[in-house]
Amino acid sequence: MRDDIERVLLSEEEIKDKVRIIGRQISEDFSDRNPIFIGVLKGCFIFMADLMRNVDIRCSMDFMAVSSYSGTNSTGAVKINKDLNQDIGGRHLILVEDILDSGMTLNYLKNYLAVRRPASIHIATLLDKPARRKADIYADYSCFEVPDAFVVGYGLDYNESYRNLPYIGILKPEIYS
Ligand code: IMP
Ligand code: MG
């Protein structure tokens, strides 16, 4: 598995330090607001688990599962595989994503949830790849900006592999081309 990685982009230590900072920042911004953190599966699972242990306020968590990708190509179409089963009206939502790439997925999700009249919707993403943005959307909380390369690890996959790498690595292009 590690032989398929061209180079380590973000080490375990770097990620840990930054996730702690973002967790503290969200805690300050949302104290007294009892937010619902909504993890977007599956890519969010490691980031969300680490982030939540650095959030020190009353809050709850839920998950949605969406699919928009096969391999490395964004289709723009988003399929909801698992929806929320609680009322979010009047609540403060924080969507937790692995990476904001074209932005199509989060743009779709934001509009999809806005119909249910939450008090606010914010976005927390581990990675932001602004070079490829197509939708007019930005992250309220972003741990790292990354270059336009296909990255895996710490929850991010290529065809369902590599999610268990403890760091973020750039995948060798020959793996996906
Ligand atoms: P978007 O809709 O283009 O913003 O893409 C969002 C989803 O695409 C993310 O949640 C990831 O699952 C996937 N994705 C985008 N770029 C990468 C990457 O570099 N590595 C792994 N997955 C990616
Ligand atoms: Mg993915």
Side-chain angles (χ1 to χ4, degrees), residues 41-43 66 68-69 71 97-99 150 155-160 163:
L41 293 169
K42 298 176 237 174
V66 305
S68 55
Y69 260 66
E97 253 281 31
D98 54 356
I99 184 166
F150 200 80
L156 287 96
D157 73 308
Y158 171 64
N159 283 348
E160 297 302 329
R163 292 193 198 274

Side-chain angles (χ1 to χ4, degrees), residues 53-161:
R53 280 176 283 186
N54 287 286
V55 169
D56 195 21
I57 56 171
R58 190 161 92 99
C59 62
S60 58
M61 279 146 255
D62 208 335
F63 294 90
M64 292 183 76
V66 305
S67 48
S68 55
Y69 260 66
S70 64
T72 60
N73 294 314
S74 174
T75 58
V78 175
K79 187 164 158 264
I80 307 284
N81 297 319
K82 183 211 170 297
D83 207 331
L84 303 173
N85 33 33
Q86 62 177 297
D87 185 11
I88 56 167
R91 299 293 303 274
H92 294 279
L93 311 182
I94 301 170
L95 301 181
V96 182
E97 253 281 31
D98 54 356
I99 184 166
L100 191 52
D101 186 25
S102 73
M104 302 298 277
T105 308
L106 276 178
N107 197 42
Y108 180 93
L109 264 187
K110 234 183 145 173
N111 293 329
Y112 181 80
L113 294 173
V115 174
R116 302 178 197 174
R117 301 268 169 245
S120 68
I121 306 179
H122 288 78
I123 291 173
T125 187
L126 175 71
L127 306 178
D128 187 2
K129 212 193 267 182
R132 287 175 31 103
R133 197 63 36 81
K134 280 191 231 147
D136 181 22
I137 193 160
Y138 65 93
D140 300 283
Y141 303 95
S142 163
C143 295
F144 303 97
E145 206 169 278
V146 293
D148 186 9
F150 200 80
V151 293
V152 293
Y154 198 76
L156 287 96
D157 73 308
Y158 171 64
N159 283 348
E160 297 302 329
S161 294

Side-chain angles (χ1 to χ4, degrees), residues 1-2 5 8-23 40 42-54 96-99 124-127 143-144 146 151-158 160-170:
M1 176 174 70
R2 292 183 191 238
I5 303 303
V8 175
L9 186 64
L10 299 164
S11 69
E12 287 186 68
E13 276 306 310
E14 281 175 272
I15 297 171
K16 191 174 162 213
D17 290 348
K18 194 65 202 249
V19 170
R20 185 181 298 137
I21 291 168
I22 295 293
V40 184
K42 298 176 237 174
C44 75
F45 83 107
I46 296 182
F47 173 46
M48 178 112 163
D50 285 345
L51 179 70
M52 296 320 300
R53 280 176 283 186
N54 287 286
V96 182
E97 253 281 31
D98 54 356
I99 184 166
T125 187
L126 175 71
L127 306 178
C143 295
F144 303 97
V146 293
V151 293
V152 293
Y154 198 76
L156 287 96
D157 73 308
Y158 171 64
E160 297 302 329
S161 294
Y162 311 105
R163 292 193 198 274
N164 52 321
L165 279 175
Y167 52 78
I168 297 283
I170 295 180

